[in-house]
Amino acid sequence: MGKALEGVRILDFTHVQSGPTCTQLLAWFGADVIKVEKAGTGDITREQLRDIPGVDSLYFTMLNHNKRSVTLDTKSEQGKQVLEKLIKRCDVLVENFAPGALDRMGFSWERIQALNPRMIVASIKGFGPGPYEDCKVYENVAQCAGGSASTTGFDDGPPLVTGAQIGDSGTGLHLALGIVTALYQRQTSGRGQRVQCAMQDGVLNLCRVKLRDQQRLERNGVMKEYPQYPNGKFGAAVPRAGNASGGGQPGSIVKCKGWETDPNAYLYFITQAPVWKEICKVIGKESWITDPDYATPEARLPRLKEVFAAVEEWTATKTKFEAMDILNQYDIPCGPILSMQEIAHEPSLRKTGTVVEVDHPTRGKYLSVGNPIKLSDSPTDVKRSPLLGEHTEEILAEIGYTRSDIESLKSNKVI
């Protein structure tokens, strides 16, 4: 059986992170992704955060696996002619330019539809229609405007952004789903369509539970599972909840053995109601099983700080892995705080292809994330990112350019 998206050709006008996340995922599933780059420089991330002089950065390589690179001057007339031919041959055009950039290039939605009525045009923007639609947006701006930052951190501190790239990569994942959906609908409609994702919208979708809590707060004035209850005060907006889960299963991060010197010697512990008796036995608080102040989830809510303090007294005597081994015997939900160093060397993640080692002709071997979505009949082969313009001549030949045509484009610096 072939790859899931084999035969689908993507014209990739994306750069930096949000768009390349989307097109890399499609490439992992077998789509032929043609990355269009500016001659000489290419995607700006090729040179950002370099760890080896003169070599494509990890920022670029880890977002552009399994793609082909073509260089093209889209401002020149010859370049526009090449682009027209590519549009006619491709199924999807993906871009994350500033608003209006495609129109200014002379390739509006209407123009693209005239060239290829089956073409799907997929775009990532910072904001959707509204007062901020023309504003430039980056990762942390999206996290702030999408509601995530206001609810992240501790109540006595400022808002915080998360290290997970929910604005860029999160929106790229949303866009990939939109593209696949549009491709599926095209099978019956025969028509292309526009697919648009705003980073603000993507972030909000990922933190929808906080919008849920906003409505609960407005109705009841308190949220009993938040650490502000019962002694703190609730304002008009959902507060920052620290490491509390903010859900129906109270959880928190507790110290483990070695926390004094290891910044990641911690465990996330959930006081799930069905295993409350087992929790009490493990941490040496058997009396809490029948104590009316602790016996029920409702009774425990105003005493969660005391509960987690008792849990921490026990976990502080165990490493995070020792604690996890013991707790898992009783189906008590928990998870170690894994550092990036630990993740990089975790054998199980290498075995599943979640972390992969890739060999690159100029930088050598490096680690990258693999496809997080596993298909039984379409396993992902992670191939290195392309060198700048590596496939230009190959792609031009595929769309009908002769050797003399290509040499002419070269001499006129179109490619």
Side-chain angles (χ1 to χ4, degrees):
M1 185 176 290
K3 296 289 186 179
L5 293 180
E6 190 173 309
V8 174
R9 183 171 282 182
I10 311 290
L11 191 55
D12 183 3
F13 270 101
T14 69
H15 57 287
V16 191
Q17 183 179 167
S18 61
T21 296
C22 167
T23 52
Q24 177 170 261
L25 190 61
L26 301 175
W28 278 339
F29 285 132
D32 179 13
V33 176
I34 300 171
K35 186 176 180 72
V36 182
E37 302 186 74
K38 184 178 180 181
T41 55
D43 189 322
I44 192 172
T45 58
R46 283 186 183 270
E47 61 183 35
Q48 285 185 338
L49 304 177
R50 274 180 172 153
D51 56 318
I52 304 175
V55 172
D56 287 340
S57 72
L58 287 167
Y59 196 5
F60 176 84
T61 58
M62 293 175 69
L63 284 160
N64 292 282
H65 292 121
N66 296 55
K67 302 179 184 180
R68 297 195 288 169
S69 171
V70 57
T71 54
L72 185 64
D73 177 9
T74 58
K75 294 181 180 179
S76 69
E77 283 306 312
Q78 282 185 303
K80 292 181 188 297
Q81 291 171 12
V82 173
L83 183 52
E84 286 182 5
K85 289 192 175 185
L86 285 168
I87 288 172
K88 290 176 180 178
R89 295 289 189 95
C90 291
D91 299 285
V92 185
L93 186 153
V94 190
E95 59 92 13
N96 60 333
F97 292 130
L102 270 183
D103 291 351
R104 291 190 293 273
M105 286 170 57
F107 290 90
S108 64
W109 164 248
E110 292 75 17
R111 173 67 175 144
I112 292 172
Q113 280 285 283
L115 291 168
N116 182 356
R118 291 174 57 83
M119 171 69 80
I120 293 161
V121 178
S123 303
I124 288 178
K125 297 292 177 276
F127 294 95
Y132 307 116
E133 61 183 301
D134 293 328
C135 295
K136 187 178 289 187
V137 173
Y138 292 94
E139 170 65 45
N140 289 351
V141 175
Q143 288 193 31
C144 294
S148 174
S150 71
T151 61
T152 304
F154 290 89
D155 199 36
D156 58 354
L160 290 177
V161 296
T162 172
Q165 304 291 280
I166 61 175
D168 277 325
S169 288
T171 307
L173 294 172
H174 282 93
L175 189 69
L177 175 59
I179 290 169
V180 172
T181 303
L183 285 168
Y184 182 81
Q185 188 172 19
R186 194 180 70 175
Q187 292 180 359
T188 54
S189 71
R191 297 174 51 213
Q193 60 181 300
R194 283 182 287 186
V195 180
Q196 295 180 308
C197 282
M199 293 172 70
Q200 181 186 41
D201 299 358
V203 170
L204 177 57
N205 188 45
L206 293 174
C207 58
R208 71 185 71 171
V209 295
K210 299 301 182 180
L211 183 60
R212 171 204 68 190
D213 290 349
Q214 179 63 38
Q215 296 170 86
R216 294 172 56 232
L217 179 62
E218 291 175 0
R219 184 178 296 276
N220 300 319
V222 298
M223 291 182 292
K224 293 182 179 180
E225 76 284 357
Y226 273 59
Q228 288 80 0
Y229 178 80
N231 301 314
K233 293 183 179 181
F234 287 88
V238 173
R240 292 182 274 286
N243 290 317
S245 68
Q249 307 291 339
S252 187
I253 290 178
V254 291
K255 297 172 181 175
C256 291
K257 187 176 181 180
W259 66 270
E260 298 91 342
T261 56
D262 182 355
N264 294 297
Y266 291 84
L267 183 85
Y268 198 88
F269 189 102
I270 297 175
T271 56
Q272 189 179 40
V275 290
W276 176 245
K277 291 181 181 179
E278 287 75 13
I279 290 172
C280 293
K281 291 175 182 178
V282 168
I283 67 174
K285 292 288 186 180
E286 289 89 344
S287 63
W288 282 359
I289 296 173
T290 55
D291 188 328
D293 286 342
Y294 299 93
T296 66
E298 293 75 16
R300 290 193 292 274
L301 282 175
R303 300 173 176 84
L304 285 177
K305 289 185 179 179
E306 185 178 349
V307 169
F308 285 115
V311 170
E312 191 170 71
E313 283 186 24
W314 179 81
T315 58
T317 66
K318 309 284 188 296
T319 69
K320 59 189 177 186
F321 298 112
E322 290 171 344
M324 191 175 177
D325 288 342
I326 294 170
L327 295 171
N328 279 332
Q329 294 177 33
Y330 302 96
D331 292 328
I332 299 170
C334 63
I337 307 304
L338 295 180
S339 69
M340 280 296 154
Q341 182 183 38
E342 289 169 314
I343 287 173
H345 297 284
E346 171 54 48
S348 65
L349 296 178
R350 300 286 189 97
K351 187 175 181 180
T352 60
T354 300
V355 175
V356 295
E357 186 175 73
V358 183
D359 200 2
H360 190 275
T362 57
R363 86 162 15 260
K365 293 183 177 180
Y366 66 94
L367 289 184
S368 183
V369 296
N371 193 343
I373 304 169
K374 317 297 196 227
L375 300 184
S376 61
D377 288 338
S378 184
T380 299
D381 300 315
V382 178
K383 300 175 183 177
R384 67 166 176 85
S385 59
L387 301 176
L388 180 60
E390 181 176 351
H391 305 95
T392 300
E393 295 186 23
E394 172 183 289
I395 291 167
L396 291 179
E398 290 173 1
I399 60 174
Y401 281 85
T402 64
R403 169 54 54 187
S404 61
D405 294 333
I406 293 172
E407 291 302 322
S408 174
L409 292 172
K410 279 184 180 180
S411 63
N412 290 329
K413 298 183 179 179
V414 176
I415 58 175

